[in-house]
Amino acid sequence: MGYPPCKSIGCDITKASWPELVGKPGAQAKATIEREAPGVRAIIILKTDPYIQDFCCNRVWVFVNPDSRKTVAWAPKIG
């Protein structure tokens, strides 16, 4: 599964961050974000891994802890 094409102009953002997902399983966070923000793709990534740092309003990085539970490390946000 590749990254979605970046949309950085003409963004229609109704919710930009999900602090309530910290500590939740990454897969659950991804499902919640994609349900609450149609058109946004949530991408799970270990918090220790490198990632693309450009801003895209149709992408949310879900940083998870590198332990066996893969819980959300900090609040996912649009970008």
Side-chain angles (χ1 to χ4, degrees), residues 11-30:
C11 304
D12 183 22
I13 301 171
T14 56
K15 185 169 183 177
S17 68
W18 288 262
E20 69 275 13
L21 297 177
V22 174
K24 304 288 185 190
Q28 178 184 344
K30 175 181 172 61

Side-chain angles (χ1 to χ4, degrees), residues 50-71:
Y51 63 99
I52 300 168
Q53 295 186 25
D54 61 336
F55 178 85
C56 294
C57 60
N58 61 330
R59 176 182 65 208
V60 174
W61 294 113
V62 179
F63 293 99
V64 295
N65 292 304
D67 57 19
S68 61
R69 294 181 51 224
K70 302 289 189 271
T71 55

